[in-house]
Amino acid sequence: MIDGFGRGAPGASDDTRRALVDLVMAATVRIHGPEHGYASDRPGDGSGGFLGSGFFIAPSWVLTCAHVAMRGEGREVTVIFETGPGSGETSVSGTVVAALPEASHDTGGRLPVMSGGWPAPDLALVRLGRPVEHACVYVTERPAAFFGGGQVLYSGWTEVGGRLKRLSGQCAVQGTVGGWADPDEQMRLGGDVLPPGVSGGPTVDLTRGEVVGVLKSQLVGGMGGTSIGVERLRSLPVPGAMAGAESDDDYQAVFHAHDRYHADRHTSRVGRGWTWTDVQSGLGAGADRALSPQQRVILLGALAKLPPPVSTHSLLDLLVRLPGVHSVDRYPAPRSWRDGLGALYETRGGEAALELLLRYCMSVIAAERPYVTQSTASAEEELWKWVKWTADDRLSREFRNEITRLWSASRHRTDREQRRAAPAYGERPRDGERPFVLLELEPRGWERDSYDWRVGVARHTGEVQPVAEDSRGTPGHALRARLTASLTEAFRRCDEPDSPAVLQVAVVQALLGLDVDGWQLSADEPPLGVVRPVVVRCSDHEPPASEDEARERRARWSRAWSAAMRAEIVDCEDGLRVPVPTEEDLRSLAYETVPVLCRYADRPDAETAAGLARVVRGGFHIALLRRGKDQPDVVCEDFHRHAVDTVAEAGTADQLPRKIHELRQGVRAGRAETYWSDGVALFYDDPLHPLPGSGQLLEAP
């Protein structure tokens, strides 16, 4: 590990400790309802009433709990703070721009607002309505699970003697609630009473001198409570389109402003008093680290002047291309340049650690940009100068020569414009080579309508990186809500701007009609099938194919990818339902054929299920399934014509998921010419990416 968990020096001075408390208290605010007149310092409910605590995370941005901020009227609150002893209070209006989680359609657009009752992660971002001078905390760039010691400092507001008073204290870290891949993981705190009102206040790692969490709840009738890690902010909604400015993504805007704020105060020649960097240095937070607190704050400030990564996927790709970095599987995944830096703290030690960080910086300089500004070129050069100065001071001539060549190549490769067509680190993959999200649903045979599930990110190498799973049994009616956080995280790891990743849903054959493409993950979001391509595949364990059968199946799949496909209706003739042909007859169809089951329905009967099984055994990995209520007297000709045309228009197999996606978007948008496709599912069982545990053997085609 780069920093050996950054154990601070046990002999930190009392002045350093007092300075840390002062910095935390200066950035801690109290949150009231919207002002109708003056917001009193007395507790109460209603207009202007005290709601809880929060803290300045960046200039003009406050972080607090959702159960605190969402008690305001129409997402409006009042933020009250002091800039220093005797400075007097400042009151400013603010708007809740994001709450995690937002209200869902399952709760009628409302969520509980009692203390601690909001579902995790229970975080809210408040943007101030006017510019004011204020202090900001320093936020860790790595998950809170990697705190430096056993004690944390907290700060907040509460009622004392009928008036609101600020307070601080210390708690012992006693463990966690939930697992590392659980979206509601929380840090357990003990050793002190957390009084009402402190919810939303900061939790500070006393060893490193950085904020690691937000107080969520207090233990009723006991000591301590829980804290949510600040890294949960990475699950803020990601813009679907390519960002054109820093302000298009609240997460990037907040942390870029945060890092520039601290870098500016560290390098200022006119500032007086302790800075967060001074305190971290006094605590010995740089002990055993590749970078001192001073070097780190300058580096983060330089990274914050660059446009952010194009996507989480592109950042993960950049990280794993670094030497010795095999995976970055922390939950939630890194999203910004600062997150990527934090992810590298666990990778190496010694001189190799610094080399790795500097290689990362060179990759950032050469990375694809979502946009460029007038200052992007100078920001790249500033980062290069920092890298060169650091390498000249501490590393070998061989390494210095290598990064100089990288800088020269980067300058000649880029014209400072967006490089979407040719990323600096390789060719852009085709759809079939891109990572996709895999959702596996396994019925619990002994429990009616109950499922175990797994969510993972599948890569073209065949590797499936797990995101989350649950083998305790989830009722069918609760699947969508239970899967929302895990699917959202998996999508963020795969999506590119304007190009959402495919969701593959693996179920037993009897459930292929499951309407996963109709799920809404949030009240204000369209169904999954409208947002992204959604396909289904079969998880039933089939008898092993013979060598000849396996060769034929690979040939059919390869042909569908290289030749123009054509559809074949296999269960309906002249509007009448007919049995699906025998396997022998199906094998006589051209390799580029896509079978269409017009009479599949939501819950197929035994004959329909047997027909699809014959299609699969016949070597076909792609088929269109018409779901919905099977109506024997319905006229099918229009569906047949459109299905044939759609397959032909898609051309090759890699384009068919996107084509079905476009049709679902058309149905949602009310385009009558797409209504024929309502309910169509795409069976897409990729033999080059077998399901985990399927035992399928692959050969080169």
Side-chain angles (χ1 to χ4, degrees), residues 238-243 310-314 368 420 428-437 490-503 528 530-534 654-655 657-658 661-662 665:
V238 178
M242 178 73 74
V310 168
S311 63
T312 294
H313 171 237
S314 68
E368 186 178 8
R420 291 291 289 161
R428 187 169 302 283
R430 299 173 63 189
D431 275 348
E433 298 171 345
R434 284 185 51 187
F436 60 87
V437 176
F491 294 147
R492 187 168 64 85
R493 297 188 189 188
C494 298
D495 286 348
E496 293 283 3
D498 303 312
S499 184
V502 174
L503 170 62
L528 276 176
V530 175
V531 176
R532 67 187 61 254
V534 178
D654 58 320
Q655 297 302 311
R658 301 283 173 186
H661 177 215
E662 292 172 5
Q665 290 178 317

Side-chain angles (χ1 to χ4, degrees), residues 271-451:
R272 293 183 297 175
W274 290 74
T275 66
W276 282 83
T277 310
D278 296 331
V279 166
Q280 290 162 358
S281 182
L283 291 171
D288 300 323
R289 283 192 170 189
L291 300 175
S292 68
Q294 293 87 344
Q295 290 173 314
R296 178 181 67 165
V297 75
I298 293 172
L299 172 56
L300 288 173
L303 292 172
K305 295 176 183 178
L306 290 167
V310 168
S311 63
T312 294
H313 171 237
S314 68
L315 175 58
L316 291 173
D317 190 43
L318 182 152
L319 287 169
V320 299
R321 288 173 183 269
L322 295 172
V325 180
H326 303 295
S327 67
V328 183
D329 57 0
R330 300 305 304 176
Y331 188 105
R335 180 167 172 176
S336 65
W337 297 132
R338 78 184 321 262
D339 300 336
L341 187 70
L344 297 178
Y345 289 168
E346 305 164 54
T347 306
R348 291 184 178 183
E351 186 175 283
L354 182 58
E355 288 189 2
L356 180 62
L357 294 184
L358 298 190
R359 289 183 193 277
Y360 172 70
C361 292
M362 297 308 299
S363 295
V364 172
I365 290 173
E368 186 178 8
R369 306 277 183 237
Y371 58 86
V372 293
T373 66
Q374 193 68 30
S375 62
T376 299
S378 60
E380 290 175 348
E381 188 161 359
E382 178 184 337
L383 179 56
W384 158 244
K385 288 179 178 178
W386 182 90
V387 169
K388 184 178 184 301
W389 179 87
T390 305
D392 287 346
D393 183 55
R394 298 171 59 180
L395 297 177
S396 68
R397 179 183 298 274
E398 181 181 4
F399 180 80
R400 299 199 307 268
N401 290 341
E402 178 185 348
I403 61 172
T404 299
R405 288 193 296 270
L406 290 174
W407 168 245
S408 178
S410 174
R411 295 182 68 190
H412 287 95
R413 178 169 53 234
T414 176
D415 56 1
R416 312 301 180 187
E417 296 295 331
Q418 177 183 319
R419 297 189 292 277
R420 291 291 289 161
Y425 45 81
E427 294 298 325
R428 187 169 302 283
R430 299 173 63 189
D431 275 348
E433 298 171 345
R434 284 185 51 187
F436 60 87
V437 176
L438 177 63
L439 166 61
E440 298 179 83
L441 297 176
E442 183 179 340
R444 296 164 68 90
W446 60 96
E447 295 181 26
R448 182 179 176 83
D449 195 31
S450 181
Y451 305 86

Side-chain angles (χ1 to χ4, degrees), residues 609-667:
L612 178 60
R614 289 196 292 275
V615 168
V616 174
R617 289 195 301 270
F620 295 90
H621 294 277
I622 305 173
L624 289 181
L625 311 179
R626 188 186 190 188
R627 296 171 302 182
K629 186 177 179 181
D630 187 21
Q631 299 174 338
D633 57 346
V634 70
V635 177
C636 304
E637 292 306 318
D638 189 56
F639 174 81
H640 293 182
R641 284 192 298 269
H642 282 295
V644 170
D645 290 345
T646 295
V647 170
E649 290 168 5
T652 52
D654 58 320
Q655 297 302 311
L656 192 52
R658 301 283 173 186
K659 187 66 177 178
I660 300 300
H661 177 215
E662 292 172 5
L663 290 170
R664 288 170 175 158
Q665 290 178 317
V667 173

Side-chain angles (χ1 to χ4, degrees), residues 440-441 504-512 535-542 600 612-613 616 621 682-686 690-691 694 696:
E440 298 179 83
L441 297 176
Q504 292 195 9
V505 183
V507 292
V508 296
Q509 184 177 313
L511 294 175
L512 286 175
V535 303
V536 294
R537 60 188 304 178
C538 205
S539 60
D540 295 281
H541 292 288
E542 295 286 339
Y600 189 78
L612 178 60
V616 174
H621 294 277
L682 176 59
F683 176 76
Y684 200 84
D685 199 18
D686 185 350
L691 295 174
S694 65
Q696 289 178 262

Side-chain angles (χ1 to χ4, degrees), residues 602-614:
D602 289 334
R603 293 284 181 176
D605 57 25
E607 170 56 30
T608 302
L612 178 60
R614 289 196 292 275

